[in-house]
Amino acid sequence: QIEDFTSTTSSVPMSSVPLQFLVNVYSSSSTCGSGPSLSCSATLQDGSVVYVTVGLLWQESIVATSDQLVAEIVTVSPLGLTKSSLQQVSNSFNWMVTVSWTPEHSQIGPHIFCFSAIDNQ
């Protein structure tokens, strides 16, 4: 259930709806481990904590490598973070996006930033 409250202390929800989502099941000859690999700077690795200064632009290039066509690099990101269009890097097996974010004062605190690549398999 997803519930909406009038305040953080309220125990009576204004609305309540069941959580619904769609799962797409398909057949594939490839294994889950054969998807695109991802790389970026040494400061942005799995589980790392990156400190970004309020009001200053932070940018990162994310590169997906695959022997298949990379369809998209998807992100779960803070409000205001932008992502460039997907570009193939010099006719190689690499595809890249650049993410950019200038955090505002109201965004001080921890934020989750996750990314993954999807190929045409």
Side-chain angles (χ1 to χ4, degrees):
Q1 289 290 87
I2 297 177
E3 297 179 327
D4 188 19
F5 296 91
T6 57
S7 71
T8 57
T9 58
S10 176
S11 62
V12 178
M14 291 188 316
S15 63
S16 181
V17 294
L19 176 63
Q20 299 177 3
F21 57 92
L22 177 65
V23 175
N24 185 11
V25 178
Y26 64 96
S27 176
S28 174
S29 59
S30 65
T31 64
C32 287
S34 66
S37 62
L38 292 160
S39 62
C40 50
S41 74
T43 59
L44 191 61
Q45 298 299 313
D46 187 26
S48 64
V49 175
V50 177
Y51 293 91
V52 181
T53 305
V54 168
L56 294 181
L57 176 65
W58 173 78
Q59 284 189 313
E60 182 70 40
S61 294
I62 301 168
V63 178
T65 303
S66 176
D67 59 356
Q68 304 295 318
L69 173 70
V70 172
E72 186 178 3
I73 295 176
V74 295
T75 63
V76 173
S77 48
L79 185 65
L81 185 136
T82 60
K83 179 178 67 170
S84 69
S85 59
L86 185 66
Q87 305 277 333
Q88 187 172 14
V89 180
S90 304
N91 295 322
S92 66
F93 294 110
N94 296 321
W95 286 263
M96 180 181 79
V97 296
T98 300
V99 293
S100 304
W101 184 40
T102 304
E104 298 177 5
H105 193 268
S106 63
Q107 294 177 301
I108 290 175
H111 296 272
I112 294 175
F113 177 57
C114 299
F115 51 90
S116 181
I118 301 169
D119 63 20
N120 66 349
Q121 285 290 306

